[in-house]
Amino acid sequence: MRQRQASQGTRRSREFEAFVAGAAGRLLHAATLLTAESPDDNPRARRLLTLALAHTYACWDRLRGEDPYDRARQYLALRFAHGAWRRHGVLFGGRTHPDSPLSRLTPQERLILVLRLYEGVAEQQTAALLGLPAERVHTICDRATATLLHPARGPAPAVVGAKVAAS
């Protein structure tokens, strides 16, 4: 009996190690996009990844045909949402890297954009995961995309030497 349990534990560990070897890089990149940190300095993204992988390992035996990558991605997204939205940025949503184009977006916009465009999650699935109507997800994704494609400009430069005519 003990030998069978040890064998199952060894198999479980090997399967999970293979999963991490294949998925951790992409999950870390998604977490880095969510936190809008620099790829070279991303402690919050690494913490998100660690939590997502720990959760996935804890429920590894209960997956039963479910894709472990989907489970890890869902947990990563929900953990980010919980930290960024419900605690007003104290844990994950706060400091962003100023050079990141995604830093101009709100945490909700980043999350939806990463899920929809980077991860390729369907609109309905994203809506169900976040507890939002599909129309709202569509609107937020469009707004975030427009913000990235057409950044707001600063005030118009003053014309030097121009005189204002008095009426």
Side-chain angles (χ1 to χ4, degrees), residues 11-76:
R11 180 185 51 79
R12 176 184 187 209
S13 293
R14 272 189 268 122
E15 288 174 353
F16 186 74
E17 286 173 12
F19 164 71
V20 170
R26 185 169 172 95
L27 286 168
L28 178 60
H29 187 67
T32 303
L33 291 173
L34 288 173
T35 58
E37 294 177 301
S38 165
D40 300 328
D41 183 27
N42 54 2
R44 290 176 293 144
R46 290 180 183 279
R47 174 123 172 92
L48 272 173
L49 174 65
T50 301
L51 292 169
L53 290 177
H55 175 77
T56 304
Y57 184 74
C59 58
W60 190 259
D61 291 334
R62 296 184 307 250
L63 290 176
R64 290 190 177 84
E66 186 181 340
D67 184 8
Y69 185 84
D70 285 341
R71 175 66 68 100
R73 180 183 55 217
Q74 285 177 353
Y75 190 81
L76 184 94

Short mmCIF file of all heavy atoms in Angstrom, two decimals, residues 11-76:
data_model
loop_
_atom_site.label_atom_id
_atom_site.label_comp_id
_atom_site.label_asym_id
_atom_site.label_seq_id
_atom_site.Cartn_x
_atom_site.Cartn_y
_atom_site.Cartn_z
N ARG A 11 4.80 9.91 -9.51
CA ARG A 11 4.18 10.18 -10.82
C ARG A 11 3.56 11.57 -10.83
O ARG A 11 3.74 12.34 -11.78
CB ARG A 11 3.13 9.12 -11.12
CG ARG A 11 2.44 9.32 -12.47
CD ARG A 11 1.30 8.34 -12.71
NE ARG A 11 0.33 8.27 -11.64
CZ ARG A 11 -0.66 9.17 -11.43
NH1 ARG A 11 -0.78 10.19 -12.23
NH2 ARG A 11 -1.51 9.02 -10.43
N ARG A 12 2.85 11.91 -9.77
CA ARG A 12 2.22 13.23 -9.67
C ARG A 12 3.27 14.34 -9.74
O ARG A 12 3.10 15.33 -10.44
CB ARG A 12 1.44 13.31 -8.36
CG ARG A 12 0.83 14.64 -8.10
CD ARG A 12 0.17 14.65 -6.73
NE ARG A 12 -0.56 15.89 -6.57
CZ ARG A 12 -0.78 16.46 -5.41
NH1 ARG A 12 -0.35 15.90 -4.31
NH2 ARG A 12 -1.45 17.59 -5.34
N SER A 13 4.37 14.16 -9.02
CA SER A 13 5.43 15.16 -9.03
C SER A 13 6.05 15.31 -10.42
O SER A 13 6.29 16.42 -10.87
CB SER A 13 6.53 14.77 -8.03
OG SER A 13 6.03 14.84 -6.72
N ARG A 14 6.28 14.19 -11.10
CA ARG A 14 6.85 14.26 -12.45
C ARG A 14 5.91 14.95 -13.43
O ARG A 14 6.33 15.77 -14.24
CB ARG A 14 7.20 12.85 -12.96
CG ARG A 14 8.61 12.42 -12.56
CD ARG A 14 9.03 11.14 -13.25
NE ARG A 14 8.66 10.04 -12.36
CZ ARG A 14 7.85 9.04 -12.68
NH1 ARG A 14 7.35 8.93 -13.88
NH2 ARG A 14 7.56 8.10 -11.81
N GLU A 15 4.63 14.62 -13.35
CA GLU A 15 3.64 15.26 -14.22
C GLU A 15 3.60 16.76 -13.97
O GLU A 15 3.55 17.55 -14.91
CB GLU A 15 2.25 14.67 -13.99
CG GLU A 15 2.06 13.28 -14.52
CD GLU A 15 0.71 12.70 -14.12
OE1 GLU A 15 -0.03 13.34 -13.32
OE2 GLU A 15 0.38 11.61 -14.61
N PHE A 16 3.59 17.15 -12.70
CA PHE A 16 3.52 18.57 -12.38
C PHE A 16 4.79 19.30 -12.81
O PHE A 16 4.73 20.41 -13.34
CB PHE A 16 3.25 18.79 -10.88
CG PHE A 16 3.03 20.23 -10.55
CD1 PHE A 16 1.85 20.86 -10.90
CD2 PHE A 16 4.02 20.97 -9.92
CE1 PHE A 16 1.65 22.21 -10.61
CE2 PHE A 16 3.83 22.31 -9.63
CZ PHE A 16 2.63 22.93 -9.97
N GLU A 17 5.95 18.68 -12.60
CA GLU A 17 7.21 19.29 -13.04
C GLU A 17 7.22 19.50 -14.55
O GLU A 17 7.68 20.53 -15.04
CB GLU A 17 8.39 18.43 -12.62
CG GLU A 17 8.69 18.51 -11.13
CD GLU A 17 9.75 17.51 -10.70
OE1 GLU A 17 10.43 16.90 -11.57
OE2 GLU A 17 9.91 17.33 -9.48
N ALA A 18 6.70 18.53 -15.30
CA ALA A 18 6.63 18.67 -16.76
C ALA A 18 5.67 19.81 -17.13
O ALA A 18 5.96 20.60 -18.05
CB ALA A 18 6.17 17.37 -17.40
N PHE A 19 4.56 19.91 -16.42
CA PHE A 19 3.62 21.00 -16.67
C PHE A 19 4.29 22.35 -16.41
O PHE A 19 4.19 23.27 -17.22
CB PHE A 19 2.37 20.85 -15.79
CG PHE A 19 1.55 22.10 -15.70
CD1 PHE A 19 0.83 22.56 -16.78
CD2 PHE A 19 1.52 22.83 -14.52
CE1 PHE A 19 0.09 23.73 -16.70
CE2 PHE A 19 0.78 23.99 -14.43
CZ PHE A 19 0.06 24.45 -15.52
N VAL A 20 4.97 22.49 -15.29
CA VAL A 20 5.63 23.75 -14.94
C VAL A 20 6.71 24.09 -15.96
O VAL A 20 6.82 25.25 -16.39
CB VAL A 20 6.21 23.70 -13.51
CG1 VAL A 20 7.11 24.89 -13.23
CG2 VAL A 20 5.09 23.62 -12.48
N ALA A 21 7.47 23.11 -16.39
CA ALA A 21 8.52 23.36 -17.39
C ALA A 21 7.93 23.90 -18.68
O ALA A 21 8.53 24.76 -19.33
CB ALA A 21 9.31 22.07 -17.66
N GLY A 22 6.74 23.44 -19.05
CA GLY A 22 6.14 23.89 -20.30
C GLY A 22 5.31 25.15 -20.18
O GLY A 22 5.19 25.91 -21.14
N ALA A 23 4.72 25.42 -19.01
CA ALA A 23 3.74 26.50 -18.90
C ALA A 23 4.21 27.70 -18.09
O ALA A 23 3.64 28.79 -18.22
CB ALA A 23 2.46 25.96 -18.28
N ALA A 24 5.22 27.55 -17.27
CA ALA A 24 5.59 28.63 -16.34
C ALA A 24 6.03 29.90 -17.06
O ALA A 24 5.70 31.00 -16.63
CB ALA A 24 6.68 28.16 -15.38
N GLY A 25 6.75 29.77 -18.17
CA GLY A 25 7.22 30.95 -18.89
C GLY A 25 6.07 31.78 -19.43
O GLY A 25 6.03 33.01 -19.27
N ARG A 26 5.11 31.13 -20.04
CA ARG A 26 3.94 31.85 -20.59
C ARG A 26 3.09 32.44 -19.47
O ARG A 26 2.61 33.57 -19.58
CB ARG A 26 3.11 30.92 -21.46
CG ARG A 26 1.96 31.65 -22.13
CD ARG A 26 1.31 30.79 -23.20
NE ARG A 26 0.12 31.41 -23.71
CZ ARG A 26 0.07 32.16 -24.80
NH1 ARG A 26 1.16 32.35 -25.49
NH2 ARG A 26 -1.07 32.67 -25.21
N LEU A 27 2.90 31.70 -18.39
CA LEU A 27 2.13 32.22 -17.26
C LEU A 27 2.83 33.41 -16.61
O LEU A 27 2.18 34.38 -16.22
CB LEU A 27 1.89 31.12 -16.22
CG LEU A 27 0.85 30.06 -16.58
CD1 LEU A 27 0.91 28.89 -15.62
CD2 LEU A 27 -0.55 30.66 -16.61
N LEU A 28 4.16 33.34 -16.51
CA LEU A 28 4.90 34.48 -15.95
C LEU A 28 4.77 35.70 -16.84
O LEU A 28 4.61 36.82 -16.35
CB LEU A 28 6.38 34.12 -15.74
CG LEU A 28 7.24 35.26 -15.19
CD1 LEU A 28 6.74 35.73 -13.82
CD2 LEU A 28 8.69 34.82 -15.10
N HIS A 29 4.82 35.49 -18.15
CA HIS A 29 4.66 36.62 -19.07
C HIS A 29 3.27 37.24 -18.92
O HIS A 29 3.12 38.46 -18.90
CB HIS A 29 4.91 36.18 -20.51
CG HIS A 29 4.94 37.32 -21.47
ND1 HIS A 29 5.92 38.27 -21.46
CD2 HIS A 29 4.07 37.67 -22.45
CE1 HIS A 29 5.67 39.17 -22.41
NE2 HIS A 29 4.55 38.83 -23.02
N ALA A 30 2.25 36.40 -18.81
CA ALA A 30 0.88 36.91 -18.61
C ALA A 30 0.79 37.68 -17.30
O ALA A 30 0.19 38.76 -17.24
CB ALA A 30 -0.12 35.76 -18.63
N ALA A 31 1.39 37.15 -16.25
CA ALA A 31 1.37 37.84 -14.95
C ALA A 31 2.12 39.17 -15.03
O ALA A 31 1.70 40.17 -14.44
CB ALA A 31 1.98 36.95 -13.87
N THR A 32 3.22 39.20 -15.76
CA THR A 32 3.98 40.44 -15.92
C THR A 32 3.16 41.47 -16.70
O THR A 32 3.19 42.66 -16.37
CB THR A 32 5.32 40.16 -16.63
OG1 THR A 32 6.04 39.18 -15.87
CG2 THR A 32 6.16 41.40 -16.75
N LEU A 33 2.43 41.03 -17.69
CA LEU A 33 1.54 41.95 -18.42
C LEU A 33 0.44 42.47 -17.50
O LEU A 33 0.10 43.66 -17.54
CB LEU A 33 0.92 41.25 -19.63
CG LEU A 33 1.86 40.91 -20.78
CD1 LEU A 33 1.14 40.07 -21.82
CD2 LEU A 33 2.43 42.16 -21.41
N LEU A 34 -0.11 41.61 -16.67
CA LEU A 34 -1.16 42.03 -15.75
C LEU A 34 -0.67 43.09 -14.77
O LEU A 34 -1.35 44.08 -14.52
CB LEU A 34 -1.71 40.84 -14.97
CG LEU A 34 -2.57 39.85 -15.74
CD1 LEU A 34 -2.90 38.65 -14.88
CD2 LEU A 34 -3.83 40.52 -16.24
N THR A 35 0.49 42.87 -14.21
CA THR A 35 1.00 43.80 -13.21
C THR A 35 1.67 45.01 -13.84
O THR A 35 1.99 45.96 -13.13
CB THR A 35 2.01 43.11 -12.27
OG1 THR A 35 3.09 42.57 -13.04
CG2 THR A 35 1.34 41.99 -11.46
N ALA A 36 1.90 44.97 -15.16
CA ALA A 36 2.56 46.05 -15.91
C ALA A 36 3.93 46.36 -15.32
O ALA A 36 4.35 47.51 -15.26
CB ALA A 36 1.68 47.30 -15.98
N GLU A 37 4.63 45.32 -14.90
CA GLU A 37 5.98 45.47 -14.38
C GLU A 37 6.98 45.24 -15.51
O GLU A 37 6.64 44.72 -16.56
CB GLU A 37 6.25 44.44 -13.27
CG GLU A 37 5.42 44.65 -12.03
CD GLU A 37 5.66 43.57 -11.00
OE1 GLU A 37 5.42 42.39 -11.32
OE2 GLU A 37 6.09 43.91 -9.91
N SER A 38 8.21 45.60 -15.24
CA SER A 38 9.28 45.33 -16.18
C SER A 38 9.55 43.83 -16.20
O SER A 38 9.54 43.18 -15.16
CB SER A 38 10.53 46.09 -15.73
OG SER A 38 11.66 45.61 -16.41
N PRO A 39 9.82 43.26 -17.37
CA PRO A 39 10.14 41.82 -17.42
C PRO A 39 11.38 41.45 -16.59
O PRO A 39 11.50 40.32 -16.15
CB PRO A 39 10.38 41.55 -18.90
CG PRO A 39 9.67 42.64 -19.61
CD PRO A 39 9.73 43.84 -18.71
N ASP A 40 12.26 42.42 -16.38
CA ASP A 40 13.48 42.14 -15.61
C ASP A 40 13.28 42.31 -14.10
O ASP A 40 14.08 41.81 -13.32
CB ASP A 40 14.60 43.08 -16.06
CG ASP A 40 14.92 42.91 -17.53
OD1 ASP A 40 14.78 41.77 -18.04
OD2 ASP A 40 15.27 43.90 -18.18
N ASP A 41 12.26 43.05 -13.70
CA ASP A 41 12.01 43.31 -12.29
C ASP A 41 10.51 43.18 -12.05
O ASP A 41 9.77 44.14 -12.13
CB ASP A 41 12.50 44.72 -11.92
CG ASP A 41 12.33 45.03 -10.44
OD1 ASP A 41 12.33 44.08 -9.63
OD2 ASP A 41 12.16 46.22 -10.10
N ASN A 42 10.07 41.95 -11.76
CA ASN A 42 8.64 41.68 -11.66
C ASN A 42 8.28 40.85 -10.43
O ASN A 42 7.74 39.76 -10.55
CB ASN A 42 8.15 40.99 -12.93
CG ASN A 42 8.96 39.76 -13.25
OD1 ASN A 42 9.86 39.38 -12.52
ND2 ASN A 42 8.62 39.11 -14.35
N PRO A 43 8.53 41.35 -9.23
CA PRO A 43 8.25 40.55 -8.03
C PRO A 43 6.77 40.24 -7.84
O PRO A 43 6.42 39.15 -7.39
CB PRO A 43 8.79 41.40 -6.89
CG PRO A 43 8.82 42.79 -7.41
CD PRO A 43 9.11 42.65 -8.89
N ARG A 44 5.89 41.17 -8.19
CA ARG A 44 4.46 40.90 -8.02
C ARG A 44 3.99 39.84 -9.02
O ARG A 44 3.18 38.98 -8.68
CB ARG A 44 3.66 42.20 -8.18
CG ARG A 44 3.89 43.14 -6.99
CD ARG A 44 3.20 44.47 -7.15
NE ARG A 44 3.84 45.18 -8.26
CZ ARG A 44 3.21 45.96 -9.12
NH1 ARG A 44 1.92 46.17 -9.01
NH2 ARG A 44 3.86 46.55 -10.08
N ALA A 45 4.51 39.89 -10.23
CA ALA A 45 4.15 38.87 -11.22
C ALA A 45 4.65 37.50 -10.78
O ALA A 45 3.94 36.49 -10.93
CB ALA A 45 4.72 39.24 -12.58
N ARG A 46 5.86 37.45 -10.24
CA ARG A 46 6.39 36.16 -9.76
C ARG A 46 5.58 35.62 -8.59
O ARG A 46 5.37 34.41 -8.48
CB ARG A 46 7.86 36.30 -9.39
CG ARG A 46 8.74 36.51 -10.61
CD ARG A 46 10.22 36.66 -10.25
NE ARG A 46 10.98 36.92 -11.43
CZ ARG A 46 11.39 35.99 -12.29
NH1 ARG A 46 11.09 34.73 -12.07
NH2 ARG A 46 12.09 36.31 -13.36
N ARG A 47 5.11 36.52 -7.74
CA ARG A 47 4.26 36.08 -6.61
C ARG A 47 2.94 35.54 -7.15
O ARG A 47 2.46 34.51 -6.68
CB ARG A 47 4.02 37.24 -5.67
CG ARG A 47 3.05 36.93 -4.56
CD ARG A 47 3.65 37.16 -3.19
NE ARG A 47 2.65 37.03 -2.15
CZ ARG A 47 2.39 35.89 -1.52
NH1 ARG A 47 3.08 34.80 -1.81
NH2 ARG A 47 1.48 35.84 -0.59
N LEU A 48 2.35 36.21 -8.12
CA LEU A 48 1.12 35.70 -8.74
C LEU A 48 1.34 34.32 -9.34
O LEU A 48 0.51 33.42 -9.18
CB LEU A 48 0.66 36.65 -9.84
CG LEU A 48 -0.25 37.81 -9.48
CD1 LEU A 48 -0.45 38.72 -10.67
CD2 LEU A 48 -1.56 37.32 -8.96
N LEU A 49 2.45 34.17 -10.05
CA LEU A 49 2.76 32.87 -10.66
C LEU A 49 2.91 31.79 -9.60
O LEU A 49 2.37 30.69 -9.73
CB LEU A 49 4.04 32.97 -11.50
CG LEU A 49 4.55 31.65 -12.07
CD1 LEU A 49 3.56 31.07 -13.08
CD2 LEU A 49 5.91 31.84 -12.71
N THR A 50 3.63 32.10 -8.54
CA THR A 50 3.83 31.12 -7.47
C THR A 50 2.51 30.69 -6.86
O THR A 50 2.27 29.50 -6.63
CB THR A 50 4.76 31.71 -6.39
OG1 THR A 50 6.00 32.06 -6.99
CG2 THR A 50 5.00 30.72 -5.26
N LEU A 51 1.63 31.65 -6.59
CA LEU A 51 0.32 31.33 -6.03
C LEU A 51 -0.50 30.48 -6.99
O LEU A 51 -1.17 29.53 -6.58
CB LEU A 51 -0.42 32.61 -5.67
CG LEU A 51 0.17 33.42 -4.52
CD1 LEU A 51 -0.50 34.79 -4.43
CD2 LEU A 51 0.04 32.67 -3.21
N ALA A 52 -0.47 30.82 -8.28
CA ALA A 52 -1.24 30.06 -9.26
C ALA A 52 -0.71 28.63 -9.39
O ALA A 52 -1.50 27.67 -9.47
CB ALA A 52 -1.20 30.76 -10.61
N LEU A 53 0.60 28.48 -9.40
CA LEU A 53 1.17 27.13 -9.51
C LEU A 53 0.92 26.31 -8.24
O LEU A 53 0.64 25.11 -8.31
CB LEU A 53 2.67 27.20 -9.82
CG LEU A 53 3.02 27.71 -11.21
CD1 LEU A 53 4.53 27.82 -11.37
CD2 LEU A 53 2.42 26.83 -12.30
N ALA A 54 0.99 26.95 -7.08
CA ALA A 54 0.72 26.24 -5.82
C ALA A 54 -0.74 25.77 -5.79
O ALA A 54 -1.03 24.64 -5.39
CB ALA A 54 1.01 27.15 -4.64
N HIS A 55 -1.64 26.61 -6.23
CA HIS A 55 -3.05 26.24 -6.28
C HIS A 55 -3.27 25.08 -7.26
O HIS A 55 -4.01 24.14 -6.96
CB HIS A 55 -3.90 27.45 -6.68
CG HIS A 55 -5.34 27.12 -6.87
ND1 HIS A 55 -6.20 26.93 -5.82
CD2 HIS A 55 -6.07 26.93 -7.99
CE1 HIS A 55 -7.40 26.63 -6.28
NE2 HIS A 55 -7.35 26.63 -7.60
N THR A 56 -2.63 25.16 -8.41
CA THR A 56 -2.78 24.10 -9.41
C THR A 56 -2.23 22.78 -8.88
O THR A 56 -2.84 21.73 -9.07
CB THR A 56 -2.06 24.50 -10.71
OG1 THR A 56 -2.59 25.77 -11.15
CG2 THR A 56 -2.27 23.47 -11.80
N TYR A 57 -1.10 22.84 -8.18
CA TYR A 57 -0.52 21.61 -7.61
C TYR A 57 -1.45 21.02 -6.55
O TYR A 57 -1.64 19.81 -6.48
CB TYR A 57 0.85 21.88 -7.02
CG TYR A 57 1.52 20.64 -6.50
CD1 TYR A 57 2.05 19.70 -7.39
CD2 TYR A 57 1.63 20.38 -5.14
CE1 TYR A 57 2.66 18.54 -6.93
CE2 TYR A 57 2.24 19.24 -4.67
CZ TYR A 57 2.75 18.32 -5.57
OH TYR A 57 3.35 17.18 -5.11
N ALA A 58 -2.05 21.90 -5.74
CA ALA A 58 -2.93 21.43 -4.67
C ALA A 58 -4.15 20.69 -5.22
O ALA A 58 -4.65 19.76 -4.59
CB ALA A 58 -3.38 22.60 -3.80
N CYS A 59 -4.62 21.09 -6.40
CA CYS A 59 -5.80 20.42 -6.96
C CYS A 59 -5.45 19.53 -8.15
O CYS A 59 -6.32 19.16 -8.94
CB CYS A 59 -6.88 21.44 -7.32
SG CYS A 59 -6.39 22.69 -8.47
N TRP A 60 -4.19 19.17 -8.28
CA TRP A 60 -3.70 18.39 -9.42
C TRP A 60 -4.47 17.08 -9.59
O TRP A 60 -4.85 16.71 -10.70
CB TRP A 60 -2.21 18.13 -9.26
CG TRP A 60 -1.57 17.54 -10.47
CD1 TRP A 60 -1.24 16.23 -10.68
CD2 TRP A 60 -1.17 18.25 -11.65
NE1 TRP A 60 -0.66 16.08 -11.92
CE2 TRP A 60 -0.60 17.30 -12.53
CE3 TRP A 60 -1.23 19.57 -12.04
CZ2 TRP A 60 -0.11 17.65 -13.77
CZ3 TRP A 60 -0.74 19.92 -13.29
CH2 TRP A 60 -0.18 18.96 -14.14
N ASP A 61 -4.69 16.36 -8.49
CA ASP A 61 -5.36 15.05 -8.57
C ASP A 61 -6.84 15.17 -8.90
O ASP A 61 -7.45 14.22 -9.37
CB ASP A 61 -5.20 14.29 -7.26
CG ASP A 61 -3.76 13.84 -7.03
OD1 ASP A 61 -3.02 13.66 -8.02
OD2 ASP A 61 -3.36 13.70 -5.85
N ARG A 62 -7.43 16.34 -8.69
CA ARG A 62 -8.86 16.53 -8.94
C ARG A 62 -9.14 17.09 -10.33
O ARG A 62 -10.29 17.33 -10.68
CB ARG A 62 -9.45 17.47 -7.90
CG ARG A 62 -9.40 16.92 -6.49
CD ARG A 62 -10.09 17.86 -5.54
NE ARG A 62 -9.56 19.22 -5.66
CZ ARG A 62 -8.83 19.82 -4.73
NH1 ARG A 62 -8.53 19.21 -3.61
NH2 ARG A 62 -8.38 21.06 -4.92
N LEU A 63 -8.12 17.33 -11.15
CA LEU A 63 -8.33 17.94 -12.46
C LEU A 63 -9.12 17.03 -13.39
O LEU A 63 -9.95 17.50 -14.15
CB LEU A 63 -6.99 18.33 -13.09
CG LEU A 63 -6.27 19.49 -12.44
CD1 LEU A 63 -4.92 19.73 -13.09
CD2 LEU A 63 -7.11 20.75 -12.51
N ARG A 64 -8.86 15.75 -13.39
CA ARG A 64 -9.60 14.74 -14.15
C ARG A 64 -9.95 15.19 -15.57
O ARG A 64 -11.10 15.42 -15.90
CB ARG A 64 -10.86 14.36 -13.41
CG ARG A 64 -10.59 13.58 -12.17
CD ARG A 64 -11.87 13.01 -11.59
NE ARG A 64 -11.61 12.19 -10.45
CZ ARG A 64 -11.47 12.65 -9.21
NH1 ARG A 64 -11.53 13.93 -8.97
NH2 ARG A 64 -11.25 11.82 -8.23
N GLY A 65 -8.96 15.35 -16.38
CA GLY A 65 -9.18 15.72 -17.77
C GLY A 65 -9.23 17.21 -18.04
O GLY A 65 -9.21 17.63 -19.19
N GLU A 66 -9.32 18.03 -17.00
CA GLU A 66 -9.31 19.47 -17.17
C GLU A 66 -7.90 19.92 -17.48
O GLU A 66 -6.93 19.35 -17.00
CB GLU A 66 -9.80 20.14 -15.88
CG GLU A 66 -9.98 21.63 -15.98
CD GLU A 66 -10.44 22.23 -14.65
OE1 GLU A 66 -10.98 21.50 -13.80
OE2 GLU A 66 -10.25 23.44 -14.48
N ASP A 67 -7.77 20.94 -18.31
CA ASP A 67 -6.45 21.44 -18.68
C ASP A 67 -5.82 22.18 -17.51
O ASP A 67 -6.39 23.17 -17.02
CB ASP A 67 -6.60 22.39 -19.88
CG ASP A 67 -5.27 22.89 -20.41
OD1 ASP A 67 -4.21 22.41 -19.96
OD2 ASP A 67 -5.29 23.77 -21.29
N PRO A 68 -4.66 21.72 -17.03
CA PRO A 68 -4.04 22.40 -15.89
C PRO A 68 -3.63 23.84 -16.21
O PRO A 68 -3.63 24.71 -15.33
CB PRO A 68 -2.83 21.54 -15.54
CG PRO A 68 -2.61 20.65 -16.70
CD PRO A 68 -3.89 20.56 -17.44
N TYR A 69 -3.31 24.12 -17.48
CA TYR A 69 -2.96 25.49 -17.86
C TYR A 69 -4.16 26.41 -17.68
O TYR A 69 -4.02 27.52 -17.16
CB TYR A 69 -2.46 25.55 -19.30
CG TYR A 69 -1.98 26.92 -19.68
CD1 TYR A 69 -0.68 27.33 -19.38
CD2 TYR A 69 -2.82 27.84 -20.31
CE1 TYR A 69 -0.23 28.60 -19.70
CE2 TYR A 69 -2.39 29.10 -20.64
CZ TYR A 69 -1.09 29.48 -20.33
OH TYR A 69 -0.66 30.73 -20.64
N ASP A 70 -5.34 25.96 -18.09
CA ASP A 70 -6.55 26.76 -17.90
C ASP A 70 -6.80 27.02 -16.42
O ASP A 70 -7.17 28.13 -16.03
CB ASP A 70 -7.77 26.08 -18.51
CG ASP A 70 -7.79 26.17 -20.02
OD1 ASP A 70 -7.09 27.04 -20.58
OD2 ASP A 70 -8.51 25.37 -20.65
N ARG A 71 -6.61 26.00 -15.61
CA ARG A 71 -6.82 26.16 -14.16
C ARG A 71 -5.84 27.17 -13.58
O ARG A 71 -6.23 28.05 -12.81
CB ARG A 71 -6.67 24.80 -13.47
CG ARG A 71 -6.74 24.82 -11.97
CD ARG A 71 -8.11 25.22 -11.42
NE ARG A 71 -9.12 24.25 -11.70
CZ ARG A 71 -9.56 23.34 -10.82
NH1 ARG A 71 -9.06 23.33 -9.61
NH2 ARG A 71 -10.48 22.50 -11.15
N ALA A 72 -4.58 27.06 -13.96
CA ALA A 72 -3.57 28.00 -13.45
C ALA A 72 -3.86 29.42 -13.95
O ALA A 72 -3.75 30.39 -13.18
CB ALA A 72 -2.18 27.56 -13.89
N ARG A 73 -4.23 29.57 -15.21
CA ARG A 73 -4.54 30.89 -15.76
C ARG A 73 -5.75 31.50 -15.07
O ARG A 73 -5.77 32.69 -14.76
CB ARG A 73 -4.80 30.78 -17.26
CG ARG A 73 -5.12 32.14 -17.88
CD ARG A 73 -5.44 32.07 -19.35
NE ARG A 73 -6.51 31.13 -19.61
CZ ARG A 73 -6.57 30.33 -20.66
NH1 ARG A 73 -5.63 30.35 -21.57
NH2 ARG A 73 -7.58 29.52 -20.83
N GLN A 74 -6.78 30.71 -14.82
CA GLN A 74 -7.96 31.20 -14.12
C GLN A 74 -7.60 31.70 -12.73
O GLN A 74 -8.03 32.77 -12.30
CB GLN A 74 -9.02 30.11 -14.00
CG GLN A 74 -9.76 29.83 -15.27
CD GLN A 74 -10.75 28.68 -15.09
OE1 GLN A 74 -10.79 28.02 -14.06
NE2 GLN A 74 -11.54 28.44 -16.13
N TYR A 75 -6.82 30.91 -12.02
CA TYR A 75 -6.44 31.31 -10.66
C TYR A 75 -5.58 32.56 -10.69
O TYR A 75 -5.76 33.47 -9.87
CB TYR A 75 -5.71 30.17 -9.94
CG TYR A 75 -5.52 30.47 -8.48
CD1 TYR A 75 -6.56 30.27 -7.57
CD2 TYR A 75 -4.33 30.99 -8.00
CE1 TYR A 75 -6.40 30.57 -6.23
CE2 TYR A 75 -4.17 31.30 -6.66
CZ TYR A 75 -5.21 31.07 -5.78
OH TYR A 75 -5.04 31.38 -4.46
N LEU A 76 -4.67 32.63 -11.64
CA LEU A 76 -3.81 33.81 -11.80
C LEU A 76 -4.68 35.05 -12.02
O LEU A 76 -4.49 36.09 -11.38
CB LEU A 76 -2.87 33.60 -12.98
CG LEU A 76 -1.84 34.66 -13.24
CD1 LEU A 76 -0.54 34.30 -12.55
CD2 LEU A 76 -1.59 34.77 -14.72
#
